[in-house]
Amino acid sequence: MNKIYLDNAATTPLSEEVIDAMVSTMKMNFGNPSSTHSFGQEAKILIENVRRQVADYLHVSPAEIIFTSCGTESNNMIIKSSVEHLGIERIISTPMEHKCVSETVLDMKNRKGVEVNYIRPNEKGDIDLHQLEELLKASDKKTLVSLMHANNEIGNIVDIKKIAELCKENNALFHSDTVQTMAHMNLDFSEIKVDFASCSAHKFHGPKGVGFAFIRKATGMKGIITGGPQERSLRAGTENVSGIVGLGKALEISLQHMEEYTQHMQEIKDYTIERLSDAIPGIKFNGRSAEKENSLYTVLSALLPYKNPLIGLQLDMKGIAISQGSACSSGASKPSMVMMMVLSEDEMDHCTPLRISFSHMTTKAEIDALAEALEEISKDYAIEKTNVEHR
Ligand code: PLP
């Protein structure tokens, strides 16, 4: 059985060039980048080259790029350090952030007494920028706004340029979790005035265990991991040299092919919408997921018109990997906050969400296989439903 991978928002397969670059670094450049001898300095040069490459991509200074272990660490560092070192007393966020943001925000509320204001998204998953503006104007407390660029479950994209402007006008700092958009979109932070952003290499065919935080120099941010001068003392600890080289190679490939990859994935996404709409009458798409504007081309969030908590397992048995989402799952697992925001209670009780996420390697034949598998599984539910309705 040829296995089909449609869970690229969770992680992506490493590209061959990335593996080669990493293996070569592990073999040839094992020096500690903090060592002053040539072994160390060769490793250091590799890191600094990637830092410059990332900085060029984002149109920022290399000093503003801090390598970390992942997106989660970057987001934790930004939020915790803002409270600890920059005097943040209030955070404005949404209930739809990734848990590494929402739980860190809650932690700051519980342990540090930070006031937290939530913007409640509408049923499409949109946030109201007027509400943000009102909240910003409503208090003199030193404020951090934390809003993700693209939602990892439904793919909605927010206008971070506009949000950054609103934050500047109101003296607030702005953090955007850009894990799902880094290397997938052109991001020019000389135009988009975010103060902080995050990246994770494994979301764009790089390795796991490496990412970076963008920290705008003017904020004066300090680190929370102490014990060494690495990463300009913002993140102590010997750097993951081969991981950073892998991140650089993955970024290079993504940027080289961005137009072609974007077009391919948008076509695949459109084809998926078409095929699934034909195969499963009554299927819906969540948030802005099925729209071209303000929706990430890598993510499609679908809603099957029947409840089947086992759908992920059934597809997996047919060799197809997708993420089930958790809105209608059985037993212990709780609905995700995102699904609670965008689905009605009726939909939560009677439907099944599916997150299908693409890469440049996804083919139409794979989408055909998904549509056929779902059609077959859905038949049983249609029959059950008909029987129930007949009685
Ligand atoms: N933020 C978003 C939006 C994500 O989708 C993810 C991963 O799924 C993360 C943060 C966490 O990234 P990492 O897996 O590198 O910790």
Side-chain angles (χ1 to χ4, degrees), residues 66-297:
I66 305 302
F67 291 113
T68 64
S69 67
C70 58
T72 298
E73 185 194 324
S74 305
N75 287 331
N76 263 262
M77 169 192 182
I78 290 162
I79 295 165
K80 288 181 176 160
S81 184
S82 297
V83 172
E84 218 147 287
H85 301 296
L86 301 182
I88 291 298
E89 304 164 284
R90 179 173 76 136
I91 300 176
I92 301 175
S93 192
T94 76
M96 296 186 45
E97 305 302 308
H98 188 275
K99 276 193 172 181
C100 67
V101 167
S102 59
E103 291 191 0
T104 308
V105 168
L106 261 188
D107 183 43
M108 292 297 95
K109 179 182 174 190
N110 296 335
R111 285 195 305 118
K112 303 283 179 185
V114 170
E115 181 185 331
V116 180
N117 300 152
Y118 290 106
I119 304 172
R120 203 185 160 80
N122 67 13
E123 72 293 344
K124 281 279 176 196
D126 298 328
I127 53 166
D128 180 357
L129 294 194
H130 294 297
Q131 200 190 339
L132 171 63
E133 194 170 3
E134 275 170 23
L135 278 171
L136 282 167
K137 291 194 187 311
S139 166
D140 288 336
K141 285 187 174 172
K142 194 152 188 209
T143 299
L144 173 73
V145 173
S146 182
L147 299 172
M148 69 204 309
H149 190 193
N151 186 277
N152 51 302
E153 286 187 55
I154 53 174
N156 282 31
I157 296 178
V158 302
D159 185 346
I160 52 172
K161 185 165 189 281
K162 190 123 182 237
I163 294 169
E165 281 159 15
L166 278 178
C167 290
K168 285 284 148 304
E169 282 162 24
N170 292 280
N171 287 326
L173 292 172
F174 177 35
H175 160 230
S176 186
D177 173 352
T178 44
V179 164
Q180 291 290 342
T181 49
M182 279 275 180
H184 290 285
M185 292 171 76
N186 285 316
L187 291 174
D188 180 348
F189 287 171
S190 69
E191 292 280 327
I192 305 167
K193 299 283 187 191
V194 294
D195 294 293
F196 312 113
S198 47
C199 169
S200 178
H202 72 98
K203 305 292 185 185
F204 51 96
H205 307 278
K208 290 166 191 61
V210 63
F212 65 80
F214 162 70
I215 312 258
R216 205 176 282 280
K217 221 189 302 177
T219 58
M221 176 80 96
K222 293 196 181 115
I224 51 169
I225 299 180
T226 50
Q230 293 91 350
E231 298 302 299
R232 293 168 178 80
S233 294
L234 273 159
R235 202 266 187 180
T238 303
E239 299 89 339
N240 173 0
V241 184
S242 61
I244 292 169
V245 167
L247 182 154
K249 185 46 95 178
L251 179 64
E252 180 192 317
I253 298 169
S254 293
L255 298 186
Q256 251 170 22
H257 299 277
M258 189 173 285
E259 218 181 299
E260 170 202 332
Y261 286 177
T262 306
Q263 200 183 335
H264 174 77
M265 280 184 260
Q266 188 62 57
E267 254 179 61
I268 290 284
K269 185 171 168 176
D270 293 346
Y271 185 68
T272 310
I273 295 169
E274 199 186 300
R275 283 295 272 116
L276 295 192
S277 301
D278 281 349
I280 305 147
I283 195 169
K284 290 188 203 160
F285 299 98
N286 305 313
R288 298 265 166 222
S289 183
E291 297 172 20
K292 288 228 169 47
E293 291 288 304
N294 304 322
S295 176
L296 194 58
Y297 56 83

Side-chain angles (χ1 to χ4, degrees), residues 357-388:
S357 49
F358 316 104
S359 83
H360 63 273
M361 294 184 258
T362 310
T363 64
K364 286 190 175 170
E366 290 177 327
I367 300 305
D368 288 337
L370 171 73
E372 280 156 29
L374 279 175
E375 193 168 18
E376 203 180 312
I377 293 168
S378 299
K379 268 183 205 151
D380 295 340
Y381 285 84
I383 290 164
E384 255 176 41
K385 210 174 162 196
T386 317
N387 285 344
V388 171

